[in-house]
Amino acid sequence: MSGPVRRAGRFGDVDGRTVTWSVADGRRGRRWRWTIARADGALDAVHTLETDPDGVFSRLESAGPERLLTLHREADGSLHGNRVAAAGVEHLAHAAPAPRLVLVGGDALGLAALVAGLPPLAEAVVVELLVVSDDLATSVETARVVPDGQRSIRLELGGAIRHVELDADGLPAGAAASTSWPLEVG
């Protein structure tokens, strides 16, 4: 990357949904925001993910139809938060050391956010990560991350393979109907 990233855009994901996003670097790290909408315009999920300057997960707020999720990292490295749905509140906790990396949702932006927390890869690595699905379920999983070209990454998780091609800023490139704009005026 050449400097702070402050961009927004939209693209189509592999499921035919539209992902509308913004990414902004600041002194405390990077904030990733995105919505995922079906072809009929209904929202599947809304995510706000904050990572520290090293790309380590620090805070997540997500919403979906009739559900909310919040998670944040404590000073001791544990994660705490809650999931709210029609049945009530479910308190969530992951003891220290909780995973430093998080994979949010099933789209390329969530995968790009995960990759941003990794050092440059010369070969495959196995990582522990917190997985947050678009329906806001959470689990701790082990995944294999494989460099797959100059700016391309393959994630092998639970028998599934996901792939993302990244641009020079670490954002998804080459997605269907992809476009982006600077957040700054002028």
Side-chain angles (χ1 to χ4, degrees):
M1 293 185 304
S2 57
V5 174
R6 297 187 55 79
R7 284 180 38 204
R10 67 188 292 150
F11 61 84
D13 77 2
V14 295
D15 295 325
R17 303 176 303 173
T18 299
V19 178
T20 303
W21 58 270
S22 72
V23 174
D25 289 335
R27 71 183 190 298
R28 293 184 304 182
R30 181 173 273 191
R31 181 173 292 143
W32 307 75
R33 291 184 177 139
W34 68 108
T35 64
I36 304 163
R38 295 189 305 254
D40 65 4
L43 285 178
D44 278 342
V46 178
H47 302 292
T48 299
L49 171 65
E50 295 179 2
T51 57
D52 71 12
D54 294 324
V56 175
F57 163 64
S58 59
R59 186 171 154 246
L60 173 68
E61 292 184 4
S62 293
E66 302 182 23
R67 59 196 183 278
L68 301 168
L69 172 74
T70 184
L71 283 169
H72 63 275
R73 186 171 304 281
E74 297 286 351
D76 69 356
S78 63
L79 296 176
H80 294 272
N82 58 65
R83 186 175 21 248
V84 180
V89 176
E90 177 186 4
H91 296 280
L92 303 171
H94 297 277
R100 295 172 30 90
L101 302 171
V102 62
L103 176 62
V104 179
D107 60 88
L109 198 70
L111 187 49
L114 166 70
V115 171
L118 294 170
L121 298 177
E123 58 188 47
V125 296
V126 174
V127 296
E128 181 182 66
L129 50 97
L130 177 68
V131 177
V132 179
S133 64
D134 285 330
D135 69 1
L136 308 188
T138 61
S139 61
V140 175
E141 307 283 342
T142 300
R144 186 168 183 252
V145 183
V146 182
D148 193 22
Q150 185 176 5
R151 289 194 177 125
S152 184
I153 299 292
R154 186 175 74 235
L155 178 76
E156 300 169 358
L157 175 65
I161 296 176
R162 292 177 52 189
H163 179 267
V164 66
E165 183 178 336
L166 303 172
D167 66 14
D169 291 325
L171 300 174
S178 178
T179 189
S180 72
W181 315 273
L183 285 177
E184 303 302 330
V185 175

